[in-house]
Amino acid sequence: MNILIATGRLAENTVRKAIGEKADILVADIDIAAFITPRKLINTFQEAGFSKVYDLILLPGLVAGDFSKASEELGCKIRLGPKHAYDLGFVLSFAGKIEFSEKVPACELLADVRKEMALELIKKNEAEASSPFTLRDVKLGGKARMKVMGEIVGALEMDAATLQTKIEAFIARGADIIDLGATLNTLPEQAKRAVSLAKTITETPVSIDTLDPELIREGVEAGVDLVLSLNSTNLETAGPVVARAGIAAVIIPDEDRSLESLIRNVEAACRLGIEKIIADPVLDPVGHNITESIVRFHEFHRIYPEVPVFFGAGNVTELMDVDTIGVNATLCGIGLEVGASILFTPEFSDKAQGSIMELKRASEMMLLSGIRESSPKDLGLDLLCIKEKRRRPDFPLPENAIQARLSKGWRVDPAGPIRIRTVPDRTSGNGGLIVAEHEKASVVGKNAREVMDTLLELELVSRLDHAAYLGRELEKAELSLQFNRSYAQDDAF
């Protein structure tokens, strides 16, 4: 298959590098490739005087306009290639296997394929990555992906069934490490029991989250993989216990949160024989010197580039009334630049639910970004949940449109009322079930369409206005599950 790639002067070298010998190149008399017009393409093609007959011309994915007449005049298909020249090599490997589009950039057509390849690349990188040490089989630091630690707040005092449910839920959401949180009232025997239980439930590394030396000792004896945290208040008592066990420890600064105290504590931990050290310069919330704390992270990583860094993203997300998706992604990007190896979040408040999944995906994106040496975009993976990457075309208002208005009347459906509610998936935090309850039957489904179709099939709806109302409410219920929100019938979404 003979393929010609059309581009502009500025992107010429990038295009040549990307396509190699897979295609020929046509450089239009224009700097910005996205501004190529049908006439500009025809003129440049004819001036080039190609002797070869081409089956396909690929334009830059951002080119706009109708190239159908140009296609007729040049005697070959003209389709949109990818938006970015970097992706040409990937796109060309599918030439002849799929039909490229005149309207949709090739990179978007191949989004699912690219996602699978991105995940494979992440898996391959993780298998080959070098790192200072591992927790069980989880690599920390070096070239490995940043790992997500999910804290189960108050875990050491939970009953066995509740703790097991929480652990399984966090793992289903993507947690790489499970952190068992203590409170001021936690007893030593509770720490030992909780760690022992966690070790029987999962192969995922488990940490104990406390400064209490006695709780740390019990956790270590029960087989914990990581202690969180040590500083000058407990290093002399708990440090030797950690060192003898040969396990990892997160080292934090003293109450002043200074870089100097963190360095002193790291050096003290080394003298005690603790070999697996993770440093936490402590990320402060917005409004409480977050900028100063990020500088502290940067300085520590500059001084100790080989020491894995603990990055408490939850310190920020839990103290902001903002949707966590973008905040977590941004924090993850900052974490990458300051040497973070562990991304920490508790998912304690309702507004922070989903943070584990968000940080996991963001960590994958940052890894791919580093491999590609690019910004974290067009990677095959993303965190776009509300806003869209490519907006569909808008259409004008039809002529003679009738102004909509609410009905003045309302009547109960003779077939009977229906109550709608949702049952969220508490294990993964992703999706759930919609329940439509009628006096004759309760219909359960994963989406609005199948529930509505079943209600109609069972003849539980007899009025058009009732069907329309149920359709609206069922769609709201489906959206609430999709976005992990609560749902109440007749309330605004």
Side-chain angles (χ1 to χ4, degrees):
M1 188 176 189
N2 294 328
I3 303 172
L4 184 66
I5 307 297
T7 189
R9 286 187 289 264
L10 293 179
E12 179 181 355
N13 290 335
T14 305
V15 171
R16 291 191 185 279
K17 183 178 179 180
I19 66 176
E21 302 297 323
K22 297 177 182 178
D24 295 330
I25 185 171
L26 175 68
V27 182
D29 184 22
I30 193 170
D31 287 334
I32 309 297
F35 294 157
I36 293 174
T37 63
R39 179 45 53 190
K40 179 71 70 176
L41 177 68
I42 292 170
N43 291 343
T44 307
F45 185 92
Q46 292 173 343
E47 290 168 5
F50 291 111
S51 58
K52 186 185 295 185
V53 176
Y54 289 98
D55 305 294
L56 174 67
I57 296 176
L58 282 181
L59 300 169
L62 294 173
V63 165
D66 183 358
F67 283 78
S68 57
K69 291 184 179 179
S71 178
E72 292 176 10
E73 188 167 339
L74 298 179
C76 68
K77 293 181 180 179
I78 298 177
R79 300 289 187 266
L80 289 181
K83 293 181 178 179
H84 304 286
Y86 175 92
D87 298 317
L88 275 166
F90 171 76
V91 167
L92 287 173
S93 65
F94 290 89
K97 300 176 184 178
I98 69 166
E99 181 65 31
F100 294 116
S101 171
E102 296 175 333
K103 301 294 183 183
V104 181
C107 51
E108 295 184 10
L109 284 176
L110 297 169
D112 289 341
V113 175
R114 163 155 270 173
K115 181 177 180 180
E116 292 178 9
M117 294 183 68
L119 293 174
E120 275 300 313
L121 181 56
I122 292 167
K123 184 178 179 180
K124 180 176 182 291
N125 182 88
E126 197 66 16
E128 298 175 352
S130 59
S131 63
F133 58 83
T134 62
L135 299 181
R136 298 201 184 182
D137 292 328
V138 176
K139 296 179 180 180
L140 291 181
K143 299 295 184 181
R145 174 182 60 81
M146 291 180 285
K147 302 305 188 296
V148 179
M149 175 189 283
E151 181 198 8
I152 301 175
V153 178
L156 301 184
E157 297 176 35
M158 289 180 178
D159 62 79
T162 302
L163 181 57
Q164 179 168 348
T165 299
K166 281 281 189 181
I167 290 173
E168 290 173 348
F170 274 28
I171 292 172
R173 295 172 198 175
D176 299 293
I177 305 167
I178 298 296
D179 183 49
L180 304 178
T183 71
L184 295 175
N185 300 316
T186 301
L187 301 174
E189 56 266 28
Q190 291 175 316
K192 188 171 186 176
R193 177 193 61 80
V195 172
S196 298
L197 175 62
K199 298 284 285 187
T200 65
I201 294 171
T202 179
E203 293 296 318
T204 301
V206 174
S207 67
I208 186 169
D209 196 338
T210 179
L211 286 168
D212 188 323
E214 194 170 359
L215 297 183
I216 290 174
R217 185 179 298 107
E218 292 295 333
V220 171
E221 290 180 0
V224 78
D225 302 289
L226 172 65
V227 169
L228 172 66
S229 305
L230 300 178
N231 66 5
S232 66
T233 65
N234 62 1
L235 261 169
E236 293 303 319
T237 51
V241 175
V242 173
R244 284 194 297 270
I247 62 175
V250 174
I251 310 300
I252 62 174
D254 293 330
E255 191 173 349
D256 64 0
R257 297 194 177 186
S258 68
L259 178 62
E260 291 74 20
S261 68
L262 174 61
I263 292 174
R264 283 198 306 270
N265 293 337
V266 167
E267 292 175 348
C270 289
R271 288 194 297 272
L272 288 170
I274 300 174
E275 296 181 355
K276 297 181 178 181
I277 290 176
I278 302 162
D280 178 12
V282 182
L283 183 65
D284 291 317
V286 172
H288 296 273
N289 299 317
I290 184 174
T291 303
E292 183 178 322
S293 68
I294 291 172
V295 171
R296 191 163 60 237
F297 273 88
H298 183 268
E299 282 299 299
F300 181 87
H301 183 54
R302 183 183 61 80
I303 299 170
Y304 296 95
E306 299 304 317
V307 176
V309 171
F310 181 99
F311 194 77
N315 297 354
V316 176
T317 53
E318 290 285 353
L319 295 175
M320 289 183 74
D321 286 340
V322 176
D323 289 335
T324 57
I325 298 173
V327 178
N328 276 326
T330 302
L331 289 173
C332 192
I334 295 171
L336 177 70
E337 295 192 1
V338 297
S341 297
I342 293 178
L343 303 167
F344 171 87
T345 187
E347 285 201 5
F348 182 66
S349 64
D350 288 337
K351 68 191 176 192
Q353 296 298 305
S355 286
I356 290 173
M357 288 188 291
E358 293 159 10
L359 286 170
K360 181 64 169 284
R361 176 47 53 86
S363 73
E364 294 169 339
M365 291 172 63
M366 299 309 158
L367 176 63
L368 292 170
S369 176
I371 293 172
R372 285 184 46 168
E373 299 181 353
S374 69
S375 296
K377 62 188 295 290
D378 304 317
L379 302 169
L381 303 177
D382 62 57
L383 275 169
L384 291 168
C385 299
I386 303 294
K387 295 191 175 182
E388 52 193 347
K389 188 174 178 68
R390 180 175 180 272
R391 187 177 178 85
R392 298 174 180 85
D394 296 316
F395 296 97
L397 185 70
E399 295 182 6
N400 302 319
I402 298 173
Q403 180 62 47
R405 58 185 181 276
L406 292 172
S407 173
K408 295 180 180 179
W410 178 82
R411 286 189 292 171
V412 176
D413 191 329
I418 294 175
R419 179 188 174 217
I420 301 171
R421 58 187 179 88
T422 59
V423 181
D425 180 355
R426 296 299 184 190
T427 58
S428 68
N430 184 23
L433 295 171
I434 301 171
V435 182
E437 295 176 298
H438 187 276
E439 60 181 8
K440 293 182 179 179
S442 293
V443 177
V444 178
K446 293 183 178 180
N447 57 63
R449 179 172 180 174
E450 64 183 23
V451 172
M452 191 68 213
D453 285 352
T454 306
L455 291 172
L456 293 173
E457 183 180 332
L458 295 174
E459 298 183 351
L460 300 179
V461 182
S462 65
R463 289 181 56 85
L464 287 176
D465 56 350
H466 191 209
Y469 161 78
L470 290 173
R472 294 194 302 272
E473 287 298 320
L474 289 170
E475 188 65 24
K476 283 164 52 183
E478 182 177 336
L479 287 171
S480 74
L481 292 175
Q482 182 179 342
F483 295 116
N484 197 25
R485 290 175 58 113
S486 56
Y487 167 82
Q489 192 167 351
D490 294 324
D491 272 4
F493 179 67

